[in-house]
Amino acid sequence: MTAHGSPIDPGSETRHRASSGEKPQLKLGRYEVVRELGKGAMGIVYLAKDPLIGRLVALKTIRPAAHVDDDETKEFQQRFVREAQAAGILNHPAIVTVHDIGQDEPSGMSFIAMEYVEGQNLKEVLAQGRALSFEQIGDLVAQVAEGLDFAHAKGIVHRDVKPANIILLDGNRAKITDFGIAKITSGGNLTTTGQFLGTPNYMAPEQIKGAPVDGRTDIFSLGICLYECLTRRKPFGGDSLTSISYKIVHEPFPPLHEVNPQIPEGFNDVVAHSLAKDPAKRYQRAKDMAMALRAVGRGERPVRPSEPIFAEETIVTRDRDKIPTLEIPFPEAEVEAAPPVMPAQEVGGSTRPLRAAAGAIAAASAPAKAAKPPKPPKPPKAPKAPTTPVSLQLKQTLSNLRTTPLWRRRISPAIFFAIVAVLVAILIGAVATIRARNPVVPAVDTQLEAKRARERQLRKEGNELLRQGRVADAYVKYQELKQLSPHSPYVNELLQRLMAMRQQEELSKQQLAQAQAKLEQGLALYNEKKYAEAIPVLQEALVINPQLLQADETIKASQAELQKAADRQAARRGTTPGTRGMLPETSTTATMAETTQTVPAPAAGPSQLHLTFNSPFADGTIIVKFGADLVARENLYEDRGRAIFRRRAARAVNVTKEVTPKNADVQIWINVPSQKINEYHLIANARLMPGTNHHLAVSYNAQSKTFDYALN
């Protein structure tokens, strides 16, 4: 849109149609547009090609609002040009490079040619729920902090650091972009009074207050990004701009361990130091934040830089403030009266009284009466004054002070308070220097440290028990952890999942007990020779637990006994003709058929579960359970070669296991230490019918670093 609201097609004047009738090519300046990448705050972003060197670039264009006037449009274009000037002097691996700035003459469309990078921004990654390890998060944010420190050293403040402006590339690399509202500290400010630029959720308190900003403002915004990556929630949330702004300025953020106790302790110090309300209490350089994150990644506790000391007060003396000099005579001046001697000065490398020098100068200025002027006489050596005791010197000094008229003169209040201010400033500076050299070590809260150590131990033990499939023991550990961290959503969610798993196990145990009771009831009926009654009871036990071989054998024995009784009855009727009550042959056949129908067929055999996983890893294990049945506990690797040539390589997991037919949850654990992967997945209420075959396929997407599961 133009400044007056009429629609404009960028590059419409630069489209041309080839003589062969091909589709017209959109151009901006010398750049050939390939496709549209997206729309940002400034305008449309295109993927274009530089025909001079064949390089792909991202073209960022201006799109002024329809209601603005010419002055506002001009200011908008000035800010647009300033973005290129600011980012154009930044050449850093963590900053998107600006190659060129220009204006398309036919359409008047301004654009910036920037480095084209393929990747997703951090906002999209967080919205997709992509898994990022704590080490990856620390490394990515440290890269951005190093890039910001480089920009700050050049006098540039970004002022809009947020996940949407951080691009993640392959190889766990990060780049920060969009210096569209960057402030060059050595230049002017295009914003008007009371106007602030940035995104509310990621703004620092001084931005909201309209106070001056510097590099520490970007550190606060980057601290919010770090908090969101670690917890997947914003530290200062709200349903309105007023609510968000109030929380940023006045309220503390929720501690990390309350949101997720598994976050390493070192991140607490980094986030707290980055999100300090007072800029003087934050990291003073972005590189300090990067160094702290690197230390956390190495498993070390970050070193907090000492807080800035109080600045010494500077007293400005104005020309109109005439402070008289107080001269204090000393005893040596009262020993004996001597001819007045001028202060000595250095003449020709020797020191002598000024009166002698004056005599020599006067002689030199007189008419020369001789060829060589006489040498000035050497001054006589002064006799050594007798030594006076120190006590006598002090007493005489005090006596002279009492006789001095200035001593009894009243000092003006301005001079008095000026002297007091100087002494106070010196005292404050001395105290601050001593404190800086000897920083106060905060007292250690032993109870809190012991509580956090116990939380870490419980998390570690609970996770290890889960990897081993010991659900009940893990549930006990996390119950204790909930008592220490009752408000942690992570612990509460995991407890709910463990409760469901325990209920499923208890249900399986009850079913097995019920099947055993049915088996004992059927055996009792069999021993009483009540074969027809024993068969359905035993079949019911076999349906609940198909692994009861005794039930299957007893059913077959009962059917055999019933068949023998039927054969004896048929033989008896056939050999005694004319006996009363004898049934015809058809009736006997019908009775046999009825007997056969009343005896159900034996239940089908157990189900089969087939597991496949083409592992790309050279270490780790996979565990699969169906209800209480262990389906697989397999290594994801195999050893190849012998002796010193032995090495580990990835292997394909292909396992088939017979399981009890029932409705139960399928649980999958995947642990890969080298990739720091600790995956758990639950397929709820899977139904496996007797005598059926089922396939569980597990796959790994290396690009998104996620697992997929399919059961059929």
Side-chain angles (χ1 to χ4, degrees):
M1 302 289 289
T2 64
H4 300 287
S6 59
I8 183 171
D9 183 8
S12 59
E13 299 295 333
T14 58
R15 282 196 177 96
H16 57 85
R17 181 177 297 275
S19 57
S20 58
E22 296 179 355
K23 184 179 180 180
Q25 176 70 44
L26 174 63
K27 296 185 67 178
L28 288 174
R30 72 171 187 270
Y31 297 97
E32 300 174 353
V33 174
V34 179
R35 69 174 185 273
E36 179 181 318
L37 294 177
K39 296 181 180 180
M42 302 291 290
I44 302 177
V45 182
Y46 296 99
L47 174 64
K49 180 179 180 182
D50 187 349
L52 297 181
I53 57 178
R55 174 173 58 190
L56 290 177
V57 298
L59 287 182
K60 189 173 186 179
T61 63
I62 276 190
R63 186 181 59 189
H67 63 276
V68 300
D69 54 21
D70 293 338
D71 292 338
E72 291 180 347
T73 301
K74 184 177 180 181
E75 180 184 3
F76 197 72
Q77 291 174 343
Q78 288 176 341
R79 185 176 295 124
F80 184 82
V81 173
R82 185 183 62 183
E83 174 183 359
Q85 293 173 342
I89 63 176
L90 303 179
N91 185 13
H92 190 273
I95 299 177
V96 174
T97 305
V98 172
H99 298 307
D100 186 18
I101 181 174
Q103 187 174 24
D104 185 57
E105 293 182 358
S107 63
M109 180 68 64
S110 300
F111 60 84
I112 296 176
M114 300 184 297
E115 173 188 6
Y116 173 62
V117 291
E118 294 184 359
Q120 289 182 303
N121 62 52
L122 184 56
K123 180 180 179 181
E124 296 172 342
V125 171
L126 296 177
Q128 295 169 359
R130 174 176 159 187
L132 292 175
S133 66
F134 296 130
E135 290 78 6
Q136 289 177 316
I137 293 172
D139 183 34
L140 292 171
V141 177
Q143 293 179 43
V144 176
E146 290 167 352
L148 289 174
D149 186 78
F150 180 82
H152 297 164
K154 298 292 185 180
I156 299 171
V157 182
H158 192 288
R159 298 204 298 178
D160 195 21
V161 178
K162 57 185 178 181
N165 288 337
I166 299 174
I167 302 176
L168 304 188
L169 311 177
D170 292 337
N172 203 43
R173 294 183 299 123
K175 280 181 177 285
I176 185 167
T177 185
D178 198 357
F179 280 81
I181 60 173
K183 175 184 177 184
I184 303 178
T185 56
S186 60
N189 185 8
L190 291 177
T191 60
T192 59
T193 302
Q195 178 185 2
F196 59 88
L197 299 175
T199 305
N201 284 109
Y202 303 93
M203 294 177 70
E206 57 268 25
Q207 277 182 295
I208 294 175
K209 296 177 182 178
V213 300
D214 54 24
R216 295 171 296 183
T217 303
D218 288 345
I219 293 175
F220 188 94
S221 301
L222 187 59
I224 296 179
C225 297
L226 174 60
Y227 186 99
E228 187 174 357
C229 290
L230 293 172
T231 64
R232 301 303 172 99
R233 56 184 285 187
K234 295 180 176 61
F236 307 106
D239 53 0
S240 65
L241 176 59
T242 303
S243 174
I244 295 172
S245 302
Y246 181 84
K247 290 182 179 180
I248 291 175
V249 176
H250 299 287
E251 294 186 1
F253 59 89
L256 293 177
H257 67 274
E258 291 186 2
V259 181
N260 185 356
Q262 289 192 332
I263 298 176
E265 289 291 331
F267 284 109
N268 293 326
D269 293 338
V270 178
V271 171
H273 208 44
S274 304
L275 298 183
K277 306 295 185 184
D278 185 1
K281 296 182 180 179
R282 298 178 203 151
Y283 292 107
Q284 300 302 296
R285 292 283 302 272
K287 69 176 183 180
D288 296 334
M289 181 180 180
M291 292 172 61
L293 289 170
R294 301 290 188 199
V296 174
R298 295 191 299 268
E300 304 171 1
R301 189 175 185 87
V303 179
R304 176 180 291 229
S306 59
E307 295 184 357
I309 64 174
F310 293 105
E312 295 186 1
E313 296 183 6
T314 303
I315 298 178
V316 180
T317 303
R318 298 176 175 84
D319 294 338
R320 64 177 180 271
D321 297 335
K322 301 299 183 181
I323 303 177
T325 302
L326 182 63
E327 297 181 358
I328 303 177
F330 283 87
E332 289 79 4
E334 304 293 336
V335 174
E336 62 177 347
V341 179
M342 300 294 291
Q345 74 173 15
E346 195 172 304
V347 180
S350 64
T351 304
R352 55 194 173 188
L354 278 180
R355 61 182 177 182
I361 294 172
S365 61
K369 293 183 179 180
K372 188 175 183 181
K375 292 183 179 180
K378 294 182 179 180
K381 293 184 178 179
K384 184 176 294 184
T387 306
T388 307
V390 177
S391 59
L392 183 59
Q393 293 180 12
L394 180 60
K395 182 178 180 181
Q396 194 168 1
T397 300
L398 294 175
S399 299
N400 293 333
L401 286 174
R402 293 191 191 99
T403 59
T404 303
L406 291 177
W407 179 258
R408 296 189 295 271
R409 182 179 300 175
R410 186 174 183 180
I411 301 176
S412 64
I415 298 176
F416 174 78
F417 287 114
I419 295 173
V420 172
V422 171
L423 294 177
V424 171
I426 294 174
L427 179 61
I428 292 175
V431 172
T433 304
I434 294 173
R435 288 185 177 179
R437 293 180 179 177
N438 301 305
V440 179
V441 179
V444 178
D445 190 344
T446 55
Q447 294 182 353
L448 181 61
E449 291 296 328
K451 176 185 175 184
R452 291 181 176 177
R454 181 58 179 165
E455 289 177 357
R456 289 192 295 268
Q457 181 182 2
L458 290 173
R459 287 196 301 269
K460 182 178 179 181
E461 293 176 355
N463 292 338
E464 182 62 29
L465 291 172
L466 278 178
R467 280 193 290 269
Q468 297 175 6
R470 298 166 58 185
V471 178
D473 297 337
Y475 182 81
V476 174
K477 296 294 181 182
Y478 276 96
Q479 276 281 32
E480 185 177 353
L481 180 59
K482 182 180 180 180
Q483 296 178 357
L484 298 177
S485 300
H487 302 295
S488 173
Y490 170 80
V491 175
N492 293 331
E493 180 182 358
L494 190 56
L495 276 175
Q496 292 178 359
R497 290 166 55 186
L498 292 176
M499 176 66 77
M501 294 164 62
R502 287 189 62 192
Q503 291 176 351
Q504 187 62 41
E505 287 189 353
E506 292 296 332
L507 181 61
S508 300
K509 292 179 182 179
Q510 294 176 3
Q511 291 175 345
L512 293 176
Q514 184 181 3
Q516 186 65 29
K518 291 291 183 182
L519 173 63
E520 294 174 357
Q521 181 183 357
L523 291 175
L525 293 172
Y526 177 81
N527 293 331
E528 295 175 2
K529 297 183 179 181
K530 298 178 180 180
Y531 307 117
E533 298 178 12
I535 288 176
V537 176
L538 293 171
Q539 285 181 337
E540 187 176 353
L542 196 61
V543 170
I544 298 175
N545 185 3
Q547 295 182 351
L548 293 176
L549 300 179
Q550 189 177 5
D552 188 30
E553 294 174 355
T554 307
I555 290 174
K556 294 178 180 178
S558 299
Q559 291 175 343
E561 292 295 336
L562 289 175
Q563 186 63 40
K564 289 179 182 179
D567 292 342
R568 286 195 300 269
Q569 184 179 4
R572 191 165 49 249
R573 291 173 179 174
T575 56
T576 312
T579 304
R580 175 174 291 189
M582 178 178 177
L583 298 176
E585 184 177 357
T586 56
S587 176
T588 303
T589 305
T591 303
M592 291 297 297
E594 292 176 0
T595 304
T596 305
Q597 291 176 358
T598 57
V599 180
S607 299
Q608 287 190 345
L609 184 59
H610 184 58
L611 168 67
T612 58
F613 177 39
N614 293 325
S615 168
F617 310 112
D619 66 328
T621 57
I622 181 172
I623 300 175
V624 178
K625 294 184 68 176
F626 175 62
D629 297 336
L630 178 65
V631 178
R633 186 191 299 269
E634 297 290 325
N635 293 329
L636 302 179
Y637 61 90
E638 61 182 356
D639 294 328
R640 296 180 181 177
R642 295 181 179 179
I644 62 174
F645 300 102
R646 179 173 296 176
R647 62 184 180 87
R648 284 187 173 183
R651 63 180 283 262
V653 177
N654 194 333
V655 178
T656 301
K657 177 74 174 182
E658 290 187 352
V659 296
T660 303
K662 56 188 173 184
N663 290 348
D665 294 337
V666 178
Q667 304 172 69
I668 305 150
W669 292 269
I670 301 175
N671 181 28
V672 184
S674 64
Q675 302 295 324
K676 293 182 173 53
I677 294 176
N678 189 7
E679 175 80 0
Y680 171 77
H681 186 74
L682 176 69
I683 302 177
N685 297 324
R687 184 178 183 183
L688 273 63
M689 300 299 295
T692 57
N693 296 328
H694 300 271
H695 181 208
L696 174 61
V698 182
S699 60
Y700 178 72
N701 190 333
Q703 184 175 2
S704 62
K705 297 184 179 180
T706 57
F707 290 88
D708 295 323
Y709 307 88
L711 176 64
N712 52 33

